[in-house]
Amino acid sequence: MDMTTDTALAPLEFAVTRNPAAKTAAERAALLADPVFGTVFTDHMVQLTWTAGEGWHDAVVRPYGALSLEPAAAVLHYGQEIFEGIKAYRHADGSIHTFRPDQNGHRLQRSAHRLALPQLPVEHFIQSLRELIEVDGAWVPGGDDRSLYLRPFMFASEPFLGVRPANQVEFLVIASPVGAYFKGGAKPVSIWLSEDYARAGKGGTGAAKTGGNYAASLLPQAEAYEQGCDQVVFLDADGNVEELGGMNIVFVRKDGTLVTPDSDSILEGITRLSLLQLAKDRGHAVEQRPVTLAEWREGVASGDIVEAFACGTAAVVAPIGTLKGHDFTDAQPLGELALSLREELTDIQYGRREDKHGWLVRLDA
Ligand SMILES: *Cc1c(COP(=O)(O)O)cnc(C)c1O
């Protein structure tokens, strides 16, 4: 695997074109009042182009708006696409920070490797976030549980219907202000067990953050809604618990041990990584290993599992209240740990608590 180490890389030169139709401060304030996740976008976006001949070039910040794409663009046919999700948080002193962007940058590189897309140096990934905040920093809302969700993504733009890795690729960053994911606090979610559909297979793309995994999850997610559930949990072919398709899953045992599935078809969440670190700091044991559905259900029945929660950047932590399958409904025990870890993590992200691990990176300076 070719992971660049990115030592002393020269920054990219960005050409900045201001949006002549940028929202006024009053319009922006109205949009920031109560944003629905993923529906409102800031005034600008970042775009870089890669070609096999020139590498990454044409770095621009330009008005947010429609792309011009040939109908033959490879991504529209074969789905050669990857993305990231990361937030910018406003602290009480007005400064703007993001959380572990090096982790997202390296994960984008791993996803790129799997989807045969070019590597974007991590330094350039982080620079792209800074460039966008430089022009759209006013869009980072203040206040608890509010943030600017940044969506970096990369796709094959080459107009070519042959099947091979594209020779022209775009990398963009767009941004969308978001409020609390759960209105009125983190209510326990109900989970539908997908017994008929998988999201990923052995040797597939499950560990890459790629749109195709989400496409495969939409039908089972629709099934979950029909069953009155909020989310889906997927199993692998051997009956091991994988994840929710957009959030990782963690179990808490009676003795305080946290257990989370290990598999090469799970997307390795940075929220999970960070929550597990905070739990270790508190003295909890952490195990990353395969977890069968039987272990989960029997653990709940016997009282060995005292809590289960889902986690990811968008929702942070969601306690699991119910697991439902075709022929069973298991109420899940609710504990204190999920919400207490959630509070500790968000306190760090919003600058309300000491950042002992050096996870925050300031974006506006
Ligand atoms: C993004 C994502 C997650 C959560 O990752 P975070 O880095 O914690 O946001 C979990 N599962 C899938 C499939 C994802 O795409």
Side-chain angles (χ1 to χ4, degrees):
M1 222 181 285
D2 175 29
M3 301 284 160
T4 44
T5 49
D6 310 325
T7 41
L9 200 63
L12 295 167
E13 285 292 329
F14 277 80
V16 179
T17 308
R18 291 271 171 175
N19 187 343
K23 300 283 187 294
T24 64
E27 286 168 335
R28 193 173 56 236
L31 288 169
L32 289 180
D34 190 21
V36 174
F37 185 87
T39 57
V40 171
F41 299 96
T42 63
D43 294 315
H44 298 89
M45 61 188 189
V46 157
Q47 185 166 4
L48 274 63
T49 300
W50 177 92
T51 55
E54 279 185 85
W56 291 108
H57 60 278
D58 282 351
V60 299
V61 175
R62 62 181 179 92
Y64 177 89
L67 299 173
S68 164
L69 212 56
E70 290 205 27
V75 66
L76 301 177
H77 305 274
Y78 309 126
Q80 197 189 2
E81 185 269 356
I82 56 175
F83 66 96
E84 271 303 323
I86 183 169
K87 286 172 169 174
Y89 308 91
R90 189 177 295 283
H91 288 189
D93 66 359
S95 60
I96 300 170
H97 302 254
T98 193
F99 186 74
R100 310 188 79 177
D102 53 314
Q103 290 284 336
N104 295 82
H106 280 114
R107 187 169 68 187
L108 185 77
Q109 291 190 331
R110 295 197 297 275
S111 299
H113 176 75
R114 181 62 185 85
L115 273 289
L117 283 161
Q119 297 283 302
L120 179 70
V122 172
E123 287 171 8
H124 292 167
F125 173 82
I126 296 173
Q127 188 193 355
S128 301
L129 308 182
R130 284 186 200 290
E131 298 284 342
L132 192 57
I133 291 300
E134 171 120 18
V135 291
D136 280 342
W139 285 89
V140 182
D144 283 2
D145 282 338
R146 294 149 65 84
S147 59
L148 185 64
Y149 183 81
L150 303 169
R151 169 50 63 85
F153 60 107
M154 192 190 290
F155 64 90
S157 54
E158 183 186 357
F160 178 63
L161 293 183
V163 180
R164 58 146 170 77
N167 286 325
Q168 184 181 326
V169 167
E170 312 299 319
F171 171 75
L172 285 91
V173 186
I174 58 174
S176 176
V178 293
Y181 197 85
F182 299 108
K183 308 264 180 234
K187 281 199 291 293
V189 293
S190 53
I191 307 284
W192 171 246
L193 175 69
S194 183
E195 292 173 270
D196 301 328
Y197 304 105
R199 71 175 275 281
K202 197 165 174 49
T205 57
K209 213 166 170 74
T210 181
N213 295 338
Y214 281 76
S217 76
L218 297 175
L219 184 61
Q221 179 64 53
E223 198 178 72
Y225 291 142
E226 277 167 28
Q227 296 287 337
C229 292
D230 304 309
Q231 293 281 336
V232 196
V233 64
F234 293 98
L235 303 178
D236 71 11
D238 303 321
N240 294 308
V241 179
E242 294 223 296
E243 59 159 306
L244 267 53
M247 285 194 271
N248 295 126
I249 191 164
V250 178
F251 303 98
V252 185
R253 297 183 55 193
K254 194 169 52 194
D255 68 359
T257 304
L258 278 73
V259 182
T260 191
D262 189 25
S263 145
D264 49 17
S265 50
I266 289 177
L267 194 282
E268 295 178 282
I270 297 157
T271 312
R272 178 176 70 160
L273 184 71
S274 306
L275 292 168
L276 294 181
Q277 181 61 54
L278 295 178
K280 280 185 211 164
D281 294 350
R282 294 182 186 189
H284 289 267
V286 169
E287 292 174 9
Q288 193 157 351
R289 58 170 173 79
V291 179
T292 62
L293 177 66
E295 179 182 353
W296 180 3
R297 295 195 58 201
E298 285 160 18
V300 166
S302 72
D304 184 52
I305 292 178
V306 294
E307 215 174 324
F309 62 89
C311 54
T313 296
V316 193
V317 169
I320 295 175
T322 312
L323 174 67
K324 184 170 190 239
H326 278 302
D327 51 17
F328 70 91
T329 302
D330 293 351
Q332 302 292 303
L334 295 171
E336 310 276 296
L337 189 63
L339 294 182
S340 141
L341 287 173
R342 177 187 213 280
E343 180 173 277
E344 184 173 352
L345 181 66
T346 53
D347 277 353
I348 294 168
Q349 290 168 333
Y350 286 88
R352 298 185 295 246
R353 192 186 286 241
E354 192 195 343
D355 173 24
K356 292 200 184 95
H357 292 281
W359 284 339
L360 294 184
V361 171
R362 190 161 175 186
L363 288 179
D364 63 332

